[in-house]
């Protein structure tokens, strides 16, 4: 992930990663230049697409963008491309500066989330409790990237993370099945950790402030997306509740009443959609 230091900052030693709070002037750029297209090759590729690749690519693209984890995970290029995204695309691609959640709030109200901090890429131990780390061990951990968002009223904060795994399609499918059949995403002892950042609204967002969370294992990509939300005022939550339960119409817990289940689910869904679009753009065949 491109975590280029801000202008004027002291260069970091080789191998160092950057973790910083947002500033109005924050910008990101791609690490790799985009090569100019050869007209002859482009024309040839277009002919091939017309002859049959277009329909296949359209079907695969549709399944990714609709979030169908039951889609056929046979396209190895999607797995190959996905594993390098944490260092080959800009921060703003993985974690957009602003997320729009039309109809994502309680009662289908609209939400807007603003990114307040980005963590440097790391191993999974930095953002996952030991038991969750152990649960993901069958698929391995290539890299973990995280960011924290706040809502428009700055009353809630949500950390969202993307685990890039080392597992293949079969391993990811097995992990997804285990999460589903054993309801692992509902267990509070498998709740992800927060990413607080100094001098931001999320400065007091620690383990005891976790209120609602979600964990989603993808099967068409080697990725696990998670998020965890809480109150921005740093209050302790004694009974955190998984997002699915907190979003139920009859839920009356503090996380549910505050809409924190919707916050966790809404942020995670939009980051996941952005990731799918990125993979689609990098793997789709030229027309």
């Amino acid at each position: 992930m491109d975590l280029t230091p801000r202008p004027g900052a002291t260069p970091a030693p080789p191998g160092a990663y950057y973790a910083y709070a947002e500033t109005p002037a924050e910008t990101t750029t791609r690490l790799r230049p985009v090569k100019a297209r050869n007209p002859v090759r482009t024309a040839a590729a277009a002919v091939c697409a017309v002859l049959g690749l277009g329909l296949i690519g359209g079907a695969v693209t549709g399944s990714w963008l609709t979030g169908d984890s039951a889609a056929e995970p046979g396209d190895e290029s999607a797995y190959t491309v996905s594993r390098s995204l944490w260092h080959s695309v800009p921060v703003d691609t993985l974690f957009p500066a602003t997320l729009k959640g039309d109809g994502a709030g309680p009662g289908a109200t609209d939400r807007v989330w603003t990114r307040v901090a980005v963590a440097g890429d790391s191993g999974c131990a930095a953002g996952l409790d030991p038991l969750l780390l152990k649960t993901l061990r069958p698929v391995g951990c290539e890299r973990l990237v995280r960011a924290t968002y706040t809502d428009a009223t700055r009353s809630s904060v949500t950390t969202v993370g993307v685990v890039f795994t080392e597992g293949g399609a079969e391993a990811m499918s097995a992990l997804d099945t285990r999460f589903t059949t054993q309801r692992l995403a509902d267990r509070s002892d498998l709740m992800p950790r927060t990413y607080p950042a100094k001098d931001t609204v999320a400065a007091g967002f620690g383990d005891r402030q976790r209120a609602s969370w979600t964990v989603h294992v993808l099967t068409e990509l080697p990725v696990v997306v998670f998020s965890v939300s809480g109150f921005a005022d740093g209050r302790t939550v004694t009974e955190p509740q998984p997002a699915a339960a907190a979003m139920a119409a009859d839920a009356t817990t503090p996380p549910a009443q505050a809409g924190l289940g919707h916050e966790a689910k809404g942020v995670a869904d939009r980051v996941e959609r952005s990731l799918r679009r990125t993979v689609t753009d990098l793997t789709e065949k030229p027309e």
Side-chain angles (χ1 to χ4, degrees), residues 272-283:
E272 183 180 317
R273 292 176 191 176
S274 179
L275 178 66
R276 292 178 188 277
R277 291 190 183 98
T278 299
V279 174
T280 297
D281 289 344
L282 294 174
T283 58

Side-chain angles (χ1 to χ4, degrees), residues 128-253:
L128 306 178
D129 279 338
L131 189 56
L132 180 54
L133 183 63
K134 180 179 179 180
T135 303
L136 298 183
R137 188 170 297 161
V139 295
C141 173
E142 175 69 23
R143 216 66 183 168
L144 167 65
V145 292
R146 295 178 295 163
T148 296
Y149 288 81
T150 187
D151 69 319
T153 66
R154 297 177 69 84
S155 62
S156 69
V157 285
T158 302
T159 291
V160 59
V162 180
V163 178
F164 293 93
T165 77
E166 300 168 342
E170 185 176 347
M172 293 301 295
S173 180
L175 182 64
D176 176 58
T177 298
R178 184 183 176 196
F179 261 78
T180 301
T181 58
Q182 298 181 20
R183 300 178 62 87
L184 298 184
D186 295 339
R187 288 177 46 170
S188 60
D189 56 350
L190 295 178
M191 202 175 2
R193 287 176 176 164
T194 67
Y195 175 62
K198 294 181 180 180
D199 302 321
T200 73
V201 67
F205 188 31
D207 286 351
R208 298 179 63 190
Q209 284 69 45
R210 293 178 292 184
S212 191
W213 74 97
T214 179
V215 180
H216 185 203
V217 179
L218 279 64
T219 57
E220 71 279 22
L221 301 175
V223 166
V224 177
V225 178
F226 67 80
S227 67
V228 56
S229 63
F231 296 99
D233 60 9
R235 77 183 73 173
T236 298
V237 178
T238 57
E239 296 183 12
Q241 189 174 30
M247 293 172 64
D250 58 350
T252 59
T253 63

